[in-house]
Amino acid sequence: MVISTLPTISEDPTDPAANGEHHGEDCEDSASKSLAKSPSYRLSFRMRPDDDDEPQDWWFASTAIPLVAATTGPLANVMSIAALITPWRATYDPDYIGQDSTAVGYPDPRWCIALNAASLVCGVVGNLFLLFNFTRFVRYIVALPMTILFWYLATGILIAITISVEKHVPPHRPDQTYSQGFWHAIIAAVLYLISSMILMINMLGYFLGHYPQHFELNDEQRNLILQTMIFFVWLAGGAGVFAKVSDQQYVDMLYFCDVTILTIGFGDFHPINDTGRGLVFPFSVGGIIILGLLVSSIHRFAREMSRENIVKTHVEKRRVQTIERSVSSSFELRRQQDYDHHIKPDKRPTISAPFDLKPRTVTFDVEKTQHQPDLHVGRPRRLGPVSRTMSSGMKTLRRAGSRRRKLLLLREEKDRFTAMRDIQNSTRTFKRYFALSMSIIAFGLLWCVGAIGFWKAEMKSQNLTYFQALYFCYVSLLTIGYGDLSPTSNAGKPFFIAWSLIAVPTMTILISDMSDTVVASFKRGTFTIGDWTVLPKAGLWRKWLDKRFPWLFRWLQKKATEAAEGKRIAQGFAVGLKTDPDNPNPPPPTLEEIADENIKDLNTMARKLVSAIRRTASDLKSPDSRRRRYSYEEWVEFTRLIRFSSLPSGAEMEEEEEQGVIEWDWIGQNSPMLAEESEAEWLLDRLCESLGRYMRRDSAGNVNGDKGKGNSKVDRDVVSIL
């Protein structure tokens, strides 16, 4: 269905565009400019089918909003249950006028109870339709409108009841007041209204074609929905059991269960008999476990959403900026434009190939003319000393030219590698501090806004100031619960239940985010102090002296070397460097050494491939494999081993799934540094793919041109690692 609204554009006969005088690009430019200047707008509805696999956007509306509604919906149901079974009006104790804790409720009119029950039914039915939507038991286009409709009905009924009670049967003040049930109804109406409104945003995104008509939920998100429902069933059911065994109001026991599961423990409510004390054991343990699982699922969901949408957007922005800076001159820009214009759309370009070290220069072959017959003598011409010197010099010059180009290409690729590594490091820092900043903002809002709510709710009953409300909220967020301040008003307790179930998990997530930033910095600081003081680290003072006072470090090192050599001479040992037995692995080669190396034997490369697989597998077993970062020189060697087994040009191409990943660009979208897995995991997969290609070529008789023959030494190495 498409709804389009465009204003009528009058045609001017003197307008060249109207007479067709503009052609080609000029006509298109003039039309686009005229449309851009005109106050036109277009509203297009495009409902995508269920099996649509086109790209999706509006990620917050498509994924986050339904899960938020699935969390607030059960909470609204619990609040609505408390509003139904609790009288909305209460009478004060004559000796304690104004103290809500001493007020006793009296029955509500029948119409109020009936409408209250109807609102609860509407809320539960709306929640069931949302659950059916998640499980695809009912179609999206049917289930979601039904959820919105029923929640709006629940909201309207609760608002109508509260207005009617206030107008027709209000409590007689100052002897009477509204009970906790009344305020539970108001909070339930607010939650139903917010949930319905955000679900309408989700439906709008579907109507505009931003995502198909179903929720793509992974296992973590399904667990979040299930854990949310179990938690609120546990909370509401536990409150009913404690109200029965303790002979107290359901709303008071709901508040008691909330304080118990959140481990705050103000002490204003507690079990009054042994049965209630015995039930605390299983209820508190089960509730804390369910809450911990729920908070963990919320944290993983928030982290996944930020990684998939915000962090990746940040990486892409930095990557595009880096590419734009790399094409700085007009020559580079024209060359890139020409390359993009002439490239075939169905052919993937060869990118990031610093290891395809084939000579790309035109050279003069002097050796061909060395044995040509002499036209004057009629026999092969002998090369004199000057000719032999010139031939040797041309060979050296040709090798030097090839080496120079290899080295230049390697250095250019290293610049791109370094740029992507900088993006990777900045992204890691951005990801940590973005999550921390979001948690701090959420914590600050819940702290300050919650303090305003408690200040207004408890001002009459406790004469609470805003600073005292801030103190109370802070103590509650940290689950300290001194008990000197606690909600006592009929409005404060329901507000505390709703606020604490949102604020305390947020505080837990904040502490978890601080473990990667603030706590990690504090840990590094303590280690640094220990390295410099009570637990000195070997070589630390040496590095500091070399950095701050290099002349003094060289002088001390010279004196120490002379003393050591003199001692060895006196003892009769040879003077010189010795190989360190603790570090048998040589350092990675430099770019100059890589440019000089020219290995053409496939069997040698295969043996190197086997050793590289062993090395990456060993790196993958280490505890810090996720943080392992290889240098550019190491990546050069790994990439050569990945690409040496690829099919030669002119051979029949394999399927991409069989061929594996061979080409990539360091700052492209297929960069290994943008992969989800660690560098060791990525490299191990690519090296194993290269091993598979080599073995297929060897079995097909394409290795070294010997059909049907394999290399026994390489085969033994392959079998040893498999």
Side-chain angles (χ1 to χ4, degrees):
M1 177 177 63
V2 178
I3 300 176
S4 301
T5 305
L6 287 174
T8 303
I9 302 177
S10 60
E11 296 184 359
D12 187 0
T14 61
D15 189 3
N19 297 328
E21 296 181 6
H22 289 287
H23 302 282
E25 296 180 355
D26 295 338
C27 184
E28 294 178 359
D29 293 341
S30 62
S32 61
K33 290 180 181 179
S34 62
L35 288 176
K37 293 180 181 179
S38 63
S40 63
Y41 63 94
R42 180 182 294 272
L43 180 61
S44 177
F45 285 173
R46 185 173 65 91
M47 293 177 285
R48 293 162 59 172
D50 188 35
D51 56 350
D52 190 355
D53 57 352
E54 294 181 8
Q56 303 181 18
D57 51 5
W58 281 30
W59 57 270
F60 186 82
S62 63
T63 306
I65 283 181
L67 291 177
V68 171
T71 304
T72 56
L75 177 58
N77 293 153
V78 173
M79 293 289 179
S80 186
I81 292 173
L84 174 62
I85 64 178
T86 304
W88 284 20
R89 299 165 299 172
T91 303
Y92 287 122
D93 189 329
D95 297 332
Y96 301 96
I97 298 297
Q99 296 186 13
D100 293 346
S101 59
T102 63
V104 179
Y106 59 93
D108 295 324
R110 291 184 178 180
W111 59 266
C112 179
I113 298 175
L115 291 176
N116 207 343
S119 69
L120 175 60
V121 171
C122 290
V124 173
V125 171
N127 214 356
L128 288 176
F129 270 108
L130 184 62
L131 181 61
F132 292 155
N133 194 0
F134 284 129
T135 58
R136 299 191 183 183
F137 187 76
V138 180
R139 292 180 57 194
Y140 173 92
I141 197 61
V142 176
L144 195 64
M146 295 300 292
T147 299
I148 297 173
L149 175 62
F150 278 106
W151 279 355
Y152 269 130
L153 286 176
T155 303
I157 292 173
L158 289 175
I159 293 176
I161 298 173
T162 54
I163 295 175
S164 299
V165 169
E166 175 64 25
K167 184 175 181 180
H168 298 289
V169 285
H172 301 288
R173 305 185 185 275
D175 298 332
Q176 295 178 348
T177 186
Y178 283 116
S179 68
Q180 295 184 47
F182 176 82
W183 297 106
H184 275 284
I186 291 179
I187 295 176
V190 172
L191 292 175
Y192 283 137
L193 180 62
I194 293 175
S195 302
S196 303
M197 293 175 66
I198 62 177
L199 285 180
M200 288 187 66
I201 298 176
N202 176 269
M203 179 166 285
L204 176 63
Y206 163 67
F207 283 150
L208 296 178
H210 292 285
Y211 37 81
Q213 55 171 330
H214 60 80
F215 296 130
E216 291 291 347
L217 300 180
N218 54 27
D219 293 337
E220 293 295 336
Q221 295 168 359
R222 296 179 189 276
N223 289 336
L224 175 59
I225 297 173
L226 180 61
Q227 291 162 4
T228 301
M229 297 179 63
I230 293 175
F231 175 78
F232 285 112
V233 169
W234 188 268
L235 180 67
V241 173
F242 280 105
K244 185 68 175 179
V245 301
S246 301
D247 195 19
Q248 298 191 49
Q249 295 188 69
Y250 178 82
V251 287
D252 289 335
M253 291 299 96
L254 184 63
Y255 165 78
F256 161 76
C257 291
D258 176 68
V259 171
T260 301
I261 292 178
L262 297 179
T263 67
I264 299 175
F266 291 124
D268 48 354
F269 286 91
H270 54 81
I272 60 176
N273 51 37
D274 291 339
T275 303
R277 296 185 183 98
L279 290 174
V280 167
F281 298 142
F283 176 78
S284 59
V285 172
I288 291 172
I289 292 174
I290 298 172
L291 179 64
L293 293 174
L294 179 61
V295 172
S296 178
S297 298
I298 293 174
H299 187 207
R300 285 196 297 268
F301 168 71
R303 185 172 55 189
E304 179 185 357
M305 292 291 293
S306 63
R307 182 181 69 249
E308 292 294 329
N309 300 281
I310 299 175
V311 176
K312 285 188 176 181
T313 302
H314 172 77
V315 173
E316 182 65 17
K317 182 179 179 180
R318 290 289 308 275
R319 191 184 66 83
V320 172
Q321 291 176 351
T322 303
I323 294 176
E324 290 175 353
R325 288 197 302 266
S326 64
V327 189
S328 55
S329 63
S330 59
F331 172 75
E332 290 288 337
L333 183 59
R334 286 196 303 270
R335 187 175 68 176
Q336 182 69 26
Q337 292 174 348
D338 294 340
Y339 177 75
D340 295 337
H341 178 71
H342 293 292
I343 190 173
K344 296 181 179 180
D346 57 342
K347 182 178 180 181
R348 185 179 61 183
T350 301
I351 53 178
S352 183
F355 317 108
D356 183 12
L357 301 182
K358 298 179 181 179
R360 300 172 181 170
T361 57
V362 179
T363 57
F364 296 98
D365 195 348
V366 182
E367 297 178 357
K368 278 188 176 181
T369 60
Q370 291 181 3
H371 300 290
Q372 290 181 354
D374 195 336
L375 297 178
H376 298 282
V377 183
R379 60 184 181 183
R381 180 169 56 90
R382 295 177 179 270
L383 293 177
V386 177
S387 300
R388 286 195 296 270
T389 303
M390 182 179 297
S391 176
S392 176
M394 290 297 292
K395 293 179 183 178
T396 304
L397 182 61
R398 186 165 59 250
R399 287 195 300 268
S402 177
R403 176 184 180 277
R404 189 180 303 111
R405 285 168 175 78
K406 294 176 185 177
L407 187 59
L408 180 61
L409 187 59
L410 287 171
R411 287 175 176 171
E412 290 178 354
E413 285 292 315
K414 185 174 183 179
D415 292 339
R416 299 172 70 87
F417 176 87
T418 305
M420 194 63 206
R421 183 68 80 189
D422 294 338
I423 294 175
Q424 190 181 35
N425 295 332
S426 66
T427 301
R428 188 165 58 250
T429 303
F430 171 80
K431 181 169 62 176
R432 290 199 304 264
Y433 285 95
F434 174 80
L436 178 63
S437 61
M438 291 296 101
S439 299
I440 291 176
I441 292 173
F443 169 78
L445 289 175
L446 289 171
W447 183 23
C448 298
V449 174
I452 295 175
F454 287 111
W455 174 40
K456 295 296 183 181
E458 302 293 329
M459 182 183 297
K460 181 179 178 181
S461 60
Q462 300 188 62
N463 197 20
L464 198 70
T465 63
Y466 183 69
F467 176 76
Q468 291 174 337
L470 282 174
Y471 163 79
F472 165 74
C473 290
Y474 187 80
V475 170
S476 302
L477 282 171
L478 296 180
T479 66
I480 298 174
Y482 290 123
D484 53 343
L485 290 177
S486 61
T488 59
S489 65
N490 291 335
K493 292 176 185 177
F495 180 76
F496 179 83
I497 294 173
W499 174 83
S500 61
L501 291 176
I502 300 173
V504 174
T506 303
M507 182 64 190
T508 307
I509 295 174
L510 172 61
I511 295 175
S512 178
D513 292 333
M514 290 175 63
S515 62
D516 295 333
T517 52
V518 179
V519 177
S521 301
F522 182 78
K523 186 177 180 180
R524 289 193 299 268
T526 55
F527 284 161
T528 302
I529 295 174
D531 291 340
W532 287 91
T533 55
V534 294
L535 299 173
K537 184 179 180 180
L540 186 62
W541 287 98
R542 178 192 298 268
K543 294 180 181 178
W544 180 82
L545 193 63
D546 185 20
K547 183 178 180 180
R548 297 293 183 180
F549 305 99
W551 59 271
L552 180 59
F553 174 76
R554 289 192 296 268
W555 182 80
L556 293 174
Q557 193 176 31
K558 179 180 178 181
K559 292 298 181 182
T561 303
E562 293 175 355
E565 290 177 352
K567 184 177 180 180
R568 286 195 294 268
I569 292 174
Q571 293 177 353
F573 290 96
V575 180
L577 297 176
K578 298 174 68 176
T579 303
D580 186 5
D582 298 332
N583 188 19
N585 296 326
T590 61
L591 293 181
E592 289 76 10
E593 295 173 347
I594 295 174
D596 292 335
E597 188 177 10
N598 188 14
I599 301 176
K600 297 182 179 180
D601 185 14
L602 293 181
N603 296 329
T604 303
M605 297 295 292
R607 285 191 289 271
K608 286 179 172 289
L609 175 62
V610 172
S611 301
I613 292 176
R614 288 198 187 101
R615 176 187 172 188
T616 51
S618 177
D619 293 341
L620 195 58
K621 293 178 182 178
S622 62
D624 57 344
S625 61
R626 296 292 303 179
R627 301 180 181 179
R628 181 71 167 88
R629 299 288 186 269
Y630 296 100
S631 64
Y632 176 73
E633 289 75 16
E634 293 173 314
W635 271 100
V636 169
E637 183 66 22
F638 285 133
T639 312
R640 181 165 17 192
L641 296 175
I642 292 172
R643 292 174 178 166
F644 90 97
S645 60
S646 61
L647 290 178
S649 59
E652 184 178 356
M653 293 298 296
E654 299 181 10
E655 294 293 336
E656 187 174 358
E657 291 78 6
E658 299 179 0
Q659 182 81 350
V661 179
I662 299 177
E663 302 292 343
W664 63 84
D665 187 3
W666 292 119
I667 57 177
Q669 294 182 349
N670 58 349
S671 174
M673 300 183 193
L674 297 180
E676 295 292 339
E677 61 268 21
S678 63
E679 292 187 8
E681 290 178 291
W682 194 92
L683 278 172
L684 185 60
D685 290 340
R686 303 292 84 76
L687 292 172
C688 290
E689 291 172 357
S690 179
L691 178 62
R693 291 192 298 269
Y694 175 80
M695 295 180 68
R696 288 197 299 271
R697 290 181 59 178
D698 182 69
S699 62
N702 294 328
V703 178
N704 289 333
D706 298 331
K707 187 173 183 178
K709 295 182 180 179
N711 188 281
S712 60
K713 177 64 172 63
V714 176
D715 291 342
R716 287 195 299 271
D717 291 340
V718 170
V719 171
S720 66
I721 69 170
L722 295 179

